[in-house]
Amino acid sequence: MAVRLDKLVNFVASRGWRYHYAEPGGLGALSFEYKGLRYRVWEFDEGEPGAESNVRSTGRSDDYYGDYEEQILAILRTWD
């Protein structure tokens, strides 16, 4: 079975971070903890596929379009 957000799920799992993954409505939803803070990545498709996430700032969500999984991974790779 293919998993949406597979690169992000694999990255988070490889770091040993606690996470939860689901596919409500057929779109990927990943939540995880890093250094005591909770982060999330939610896919959406509102005419253009994308993802909303708070990885750049825990108090604010940003929308990512295009190759959103790679954009979010680039941010995660800068973390310790």
Side-chain angles (χ1 to χ4, degrees), residues 16-18 31-40 54 58 79:
W17 302 342
R18 283 184 14 188
S31 58
F32 61 95
E33 290 184 29
Y34 174 70
K35 292 190 175 184
L37 298 174
R38 293 181 184 205
Y39 297 91
R40 59 180 163 43
N54 66 335
T58 56
W79 298 359

Side-chain angles (χ1 to χ4, degrees), residues 49-64:
E52 174 183 298
S53 182
N54 66 335
V55 296
R56 190 178 311 273
S57 173
T58 56
R60 186 184 83 214
S61 292
D62 295 303
D63 290 343
Y64 299 87

Side-chain angles (χ1 to χ4, degrees), residues 10-32:
N10 289 334
F11 182 88
V12 168
S14 75
R15 297 300 192 268
W17 302 342
R18 283 184 14 188
Y19 73 94
H20 178 270
Y21 176 79
E23 291 188 7
L27 299 171
L30 172 66
S31 58
F32 61 95

